[in-house]
Amino acid sequence: MKRISVFLDGSNFFYLQKDCLRWFIDPKKLLDFIGKRGEIVDATYYASTDPNNEKQSGYLKALYHMGFAVEQKPIKLYTQSDGSEKHKANLDIEIVLDLFNTIDTYDEAVLISGDTDFSRPLQILRARGKQFLVLSTKGFISNEMRQIAGMHYLDFADIRDYIEKDRPI
């Protein structure tokens, strides 16, 4: 049976649902759907966190019960030169490190992100003989990612019936 590791970019996942899909994905249903491809040996949700956000804290705790490990990085507040504030907490490097540090534990990496920063790591995975699948959606996946993924891309809109939150399977 094919061993699968899931790498979910939490920030990208949230905004693709909110801004593009305009419906929400049930993370447990998503894992169940991916699990039809083989045995999920690891699933990690990479989250930018706001320690003052109780709703987010509850969501992250629920992810543990769904089968995800959660890697967290606190959001940092930066004051820009114009005086405005910007929030930032990027976990792309953690995802890439985990993709390669765990490479011997999986046959296929499932990357849930459309971020162009993952283009080169996917090329390297392919060169090393690893299979991968990119899950994202039209309008949120970068052109570079879409080109590299080719037939190894699945649009969330195409599997909505299986993964939508509060929708029976």
Side-chain angles (χ1 to χ4, degrees):
M1 181 176 265
K2 180 174 22 176
R3 299 171 301 157
I4 299 170
S5 281
V6 178
F7 303 86
L8 192 152
D9 177 349
S11 180
N12 194 276
F13 186 63
F14 174 77
Y15 287 105
L16 77 81
Q17 293 172 82
K18 181 179 167 284
D19 297 340
C20 282
L21 293 176
R22 300 191 191 282
W23 52 271
F24 286 92
I25 296 167
D26 181 320
K28 176 66 174 129
K29 288 181 182 179
L30 179 59
L31 278 184
D32 291 344
F33 181 85
I34 294 167
K36 293 176 184 175
R37 301 175 61 84
E39 176 190 3
I40 297 176
V41 295
D42 204 9
T44 306
Y45 191 106
Y46 298 83
S48 305
T49 58
D50 176 355
N52 300 318
N53 185 331
E54 290 181 27
K55 186 175 179 182
Q56 181 188 46
S57 179
Y59 176 73
L60 295 176
K61 285 178 185 173
L63 289 171
Y64 301 133
H65 299 287
M66 294 179 205
F68 284 93
V70 179
E71 283 292 327
Q72 300 180 46
K73 184 185 273 186
I75 295 170
K76 293 183 180 179
L77 184 63
Y78 295 94
T79 303
Q80 298 181 315
S81 59
D82 65 0
S84 65
E85 294 181 339
K86 183 176 182 178
H87 296 89
K88 186 168 172 97
N90 191 327
L91 283 106
D92 292 356
I93 191 70
E94 287 82 356
I95 295 171
V96 172
L97 286 170
D98 288 350
L99 273 168
F100 290 102
N101 285 334
T102 62
I103 198 167
D104 294 330
T105 65
Y106 63 84
D107 303 308
E108 180 179 58
V110 174
L111 177 63
I112 300 169
S113 181
D115 192 329
T116 194
D117 291 341
F118 298 112
S119 298
R120 184 68 182 139
L122 289 181
Q123 289 173 325
I124 295 168
L125 281 179
R126 179 178 283 141
R128 291 197 177 177
K130 287 295 177 179
Q131 297 175 11
F132 63 82
L133 176 68
V134 175
L135 289 166
S136 190
T137 196
K138 184 178 179 182
F140 214 79
I141 187 167
S142 72
N143 289 333
E144 295 86 356
M145 281 285 286
R146 185 64 188 94
Q147 289 170 2
I148 289 165
M151 66 186 289
H152 306 286
Y153 165 73
L154 187 56
D155 193 311
F156 284 123
D158 294 337
I159 59 172
R160 180 178 184 171
D161 289 345
Y162 304 101
I163 63 168
E164 186 174 8
K165 189 174 185 168
D166 298 322
R167 180 180 266 202
I169 294 179

